[in-house]
Amino acid sequence: MLKQIVVDERRIRLLQDGANKKGVVVYWMSRDQRAEDNWALLYALQIADKRQLPLMVVFTLLPEFMEATERQYSFMLKGLAETERRLRGYHIPFKLLSGEPKDVLPAFLKESGASTLVADFDPLKIKRIWKRDVAKNITIPFYEVDAHNVVPALHVSDKEEFGAYTIRPKIHRLLPEFLTSFPNLSEPIVKENMREMVDWKAVAESLHIDTSVKESAQFTPGSKAAELKLQEFLIKKIDKYNEKRNDPTEEYQSDISPYLHFGQIAPQRAAFEAFTRIKNSEAKDAFLEELIVRRELSDNFCYFNTKYDSFEGLKDWGKKTLNEHRNDEREFIYSLEEFERARTHEDLWNAAQMQMVKSGKMHGYMRMYWAKKILEWSGSPEEAMNIAIYLNDKYSLDGRDPNGYTGIAWSIGGIHDRAWTERPVYGKIRYMNYNGCKRKFDTELYIRNWSQG
Ligand code: FAD
Ligand code: FO1
């Protein structure tokens, strides 16, 4: 008898109930674009096997999504093609639907006689609107499964947390129950007819996207590449992670964020491997603090604060202090164009911008400095947030992510941070500058690595 899969109930939310009938169980894959280690897929399989029904996976592809460019789409589509192949190995069909979910998914569910819809959790507004609009046009049970967080976001807290210090104990208390390995994916008991493979070349041609931002040479897409990146980090880098992760001239970050963003590897897989394999507890704890506490704090922020991408979403103290300094003299003011082309007076900032433009991923330490300088050199905090979000989403492989909106709100508006010594323009928002970077790492080397040319 197959090992009975039981996905923890605390990951599952019934978004809308519906009539119980026979028919294929559909997993609507979106955030977690992988076959293995995927709690949403495992739950859909659990239902299918329990009710002796077939199973299939559907992905709704938008021809344009939040200004994503060729860089992000090619990374995503190549990853999806690999996922399709992996699913085929388990006799699980993969169906790609092009268009807005509300336009294409209810009709597809109807024509395929689906009995159940399972989606993965995503705190972003656009995803919540998708689910709301789809729910209005279906009558079958509709579940949502948190396949992205180690501790399910809606179980760990029911409100917007103040900061890492408030969510950390809530997460740590639950880790023993949730930081586990995964059941293996298996073939559904009832087999659905396999479909012809997706014509990915035709799909790529159907997109209406900005092709001026080319795919990154630094990052090979897909779950296989993600697993290799994780192994490389755990074997060669994690021991120096705590000591060197803030040095952008060194390569001691894991570089897994593009893969986590597209769900090509499970955050829980990375956390479980680190937790069980790494002896150096200082390095392990530092990595898990970022991978679990910081990342899951971002999901909490974006879910419970729907203004996560605007000045309005900041805390009162942040808005107050930035308002009090709104009319301070700005020694330098740059346009979006000048920022985008890395044409500021600071070669260090320009190098950080060029690293993001060229490689698709700016070093984590530089992201803080990069965003804070946009606050300092923009006409207003609102403009600064818009510019930071626009550039980060346009050029970063891991953009359009809860971590990004939260990282920008932290840098520019002090979200999850405390008040610091008051100064012009920043008010009490934490300040960072060139000299601070000079004290931390070899800025000349970083500039040589990434400046123009
Ligand atoms: P590692 O240091 O190896 O960390 C491993 C994982 O832990 C990351 O992939 C990420 O999931 C998580 N993590 C690490 N640091 C943070 C953090 N500060 N907040 C939340 N999670 C974290 N991250 C994105 O995924 N997408 C973004 O668009 C993004 N934009 C940012 C913008 C600004 C202004 C700032 C300050 C931070 C931003 N971050 C973003 C958070 C962080 O910088 C990146 O997650 C990290 O640098 C990704 O590289 P890595 O996977 O090599 O990181
Ligand atoms: N998710 C989808 O379900 N369909 C898409 O067509 C799609 C395109 C896309 C392009 C760039 C990008 O960065 C993300 C994209 N996503 C898409 C969302 C992705 O699945 C992630 O879930 C969220 O962006 C992160 O929460």
Side-chain angles (χ1 to χ4, degrees):
M1 180 53 188
L2 273 172
K3 193 170 86 160
Q4 182 58 29
I5 293 172
V6 182
V7 175
D8 192 306
E9 291 285 328
R10 293 168 290 182
R11 288 191 181 282
I12 303 157
R13 201 164 50 141
L14 176 62
L15 295 181
Q16 177 171 280
D17 206 344
N20 246 351
K21 61 182 209 161
K22 288 285 182 199
V24 63
V25 176
V26 174
Y27 163 39
W28 173 21
M29 175 183 278
S30 177
R31 190 181 198 191
D32 295 283
Q33 300 171 14
R34 62 183 177 276
E36 280 88 9
D37 300 348
N38 184 330
W39 289 119
L41 177 56
L42 288 165
Y43 185 59
L45 175 64
Q46 177 182 320
I47 296 172
D49 283 355
K50 190 157 151 254
R51 298 190 52 209
Q52 303 280 321
L53 296 171
L55 164 70
M56 71 179 304
V57 173
V58 169
F59 187 87
T60 51
L61 178 75
L62 278 83
E64 48 197 307
F65 180 86
M66 297 172 76
E67 322 270 325
T69 70
E70 182 173 307
R71 171 170 290 173
Q72 293 89 12
Y73 265 97
S74 70
F75 190 88
M76 185 177 81
L77 293 180
K78 287 176 181 164
L80 281 172
E82 181 179 325
T83 294
E84 176 192 34
R85 287 194 297 278
R86 286 187 181 220
L87 288 168
R88 204 169 184 83
Y90 293 97
H91 208 98
I92 299 173
F94 176 90
K95 170 76 182 162
L96 191 87
L97 297 175
S98 287
E100 286 285 333
K102 69 179 185 317
D103 299 337
V104 296
L105 189 54
F108 176 78
L109 294 171
K110 205 174 174 73
E111 98 201 16
S112 52
S115 65
T116 319
L117 181 63
V118 177
D120 44 44
F121 170 76
D122 190 326
L124 296 188
K125 283 178 278 191
I126 186 165
K127 301 295 191 76
R128 297 171 71 174
I129 291 165
W130 284 4
K131 288 171 179 150
R132 188 197 58 199
D133 291 349
V134 165
K136 276 186 206 144
N137 294 294
I138 61 174
T139 57
I140 56 176
F142 184 6
Y143 295 93
E144 180 189 67
V145 181
D146 190 335
H148 209 77
N149 293 298
V150 176
V151 182
L154 302 185
H155 179 71
V156 75
S157 169
D158 55 4
K159 63 178 178 20
E160 184 182 339
E161 293 290 330
F162 284 102
Y165 73 101
T166 61
I167 202 172
R168 185 178 300 114
K170 295 177 181 177
I171 287 177
H172 280 195
R173 194 177 314 123
L174 290 162
L175 275 186
E177 296 174 70
F178 286 101
L179 185 47
T180 66
S181 183
F182 289 87
N184 290 327
L185 184 59
S186 56
E187 288 196 3
I189 295 169
V190 176
K191 303 273 185 296
E192 171 81 344
N193 302 330
M194 290 311 285
R195 298 163 174 277
E196 71 289 346
M197 302 285 276
V198 174
D199 177 350
W200 292 100
K201 195 168 161 305
V203 166
E205 282 151 15
S206 74
L207 302 174
H208 330 129
I209 53 174
D210 174 352
T211 55
S212 68
V213 184
K214 298 300 176 201
E215 53 188 325
S216 158
Q218 260 82 358
F219 290 89
T220 307
S223 294
K224 184 85 210 111
E227 280 146 16
L228 290 174
K229 195 64 96 169
L230 175 63
Q231 294 312 324
E232 180 196 8
F233 174 67
L234 294 177
I235 294 163
K236 290 193 202 142
K237 301 184 178 181
I238 193 168
D239 281 341
K240 291 199 182 134
Y241 178 75
N242 195 35
E243 171 199 341
K244 298 210 170 219
R245 67 193 169 97
N246 285 333
D247 183 340
T249 66
E250 301 262 19
E251 311 260 326
Y252 283 95
Q253 286 197 290
S254 66
D255 265 351
I256 62 173
S257 62
Y259 303 103
L260 295 178
H261 169 67
F262 287 103
Q264 295 172 1
I265 188 168
Q268 183 173 333
R269 168 61 59 196
F272 182 74
E273 295 290 313
F275 183 70
T276 49
R277 285 166 49 184
I278 303 306
K279 303 288 167 276
N280 172 340
S281 55
E282 186 208 2
K284 168 165 64 173
D285 293 349
F287 180 62
L288 294 179
E289 167 69 11
E290 301 300 330
L291 178 64
I292 302 177
V293 176
R294 278 279 160 200
R295 192 183 48 77
E296 305 200 359
L297 177 63
S298 299
D299 263 33
N300 169 274
F301 175 62
C302 290
Y303 186 83
F304 289 105
N305 186 332
T306 52
K307 297 188 168 66
Y308 53 75
D309 53 355
S310 79
F311 179 83
E312 285 321 302
L314 302 182
K315 295 279 130 298
D316 290 345
W317 78 266
K319 284 189 274 199
K320 182 172 176 293
T321 198
L322 287 168
N323 283 333
E324 282 162 2
H325 292 270
R326 193 175 281 281
N327 300 320
D328 287 5
E329 145 92 10
R330 263 92 167 141
E331 195 185 344
F332 298 94
I333 291 207
Y334 294 110
S335 66
L336 168 63
E337 189 81 11
E338 287 163 318
F339 281 122
E340 187 161 11
R341 293 178 184 286
R343 293 270 190 282
T344 75
H345 65 289
E346 276 198 8
D347 49 7
L348 182 62
W349 190 93
N350 297 339
Q353 175 67 13
M354 290 314 293
Q355 180 181 28
M356 178 175 68
V357 169
K358 286 179 180 174
S359 75
K361 182 172 181 291
M362 189 190 298
H363 188 280
Y365 185 80
M366 297 312 289
R367 285 177 117 158
M368 299 186 279
Y369 157 80
W370 173 85
K372 287 175 178 296
K373 289 300 152 191
I374 294 176
L375 167 63
E376 190 176 330
W377 303 329
S378 291
S380 73
E382 291 84 354
E383 196 185 335
M385 283 189 82
N386 291 338
I387 289 172
I389 289 171
Y390 173 80
L391 293 176
N392 187 52
D393 283 359
K394 181 170 180 178
Y395 293 105
S396 294
L397 272 171
D398 61 10
R400 260 168 307 285
D401 193 280
N403 290 343
Y405 302 115
T406 308
I408 288 165
W410 178 90
S411 302
I412 294 175
I415 281 289
H416 302 146
D417 201 359
R418 64 177 177 82
W420 293 75
T421 324
E422 192 153 9
R423 56 179 304 117
V425 181
Y426 289 77
K428 295 174 187 161
I429 302 296
R430 180 197 299 251
Y431 178 65
M432 284 176 81
N433 73 343
Y434 205 134
N435 286 334
C437 290
K438 271 205 184 97
R439 283 194 298 275
K440 276 240 173 202
F441 61 88
D442 181 346
T443 49
E444 291 313 308
L445 174 57
Y446 181 77
I447 290 161
R448 273 200 308 281
N449 289 345
W450 294 104
S451 57
Q452 307 271 7

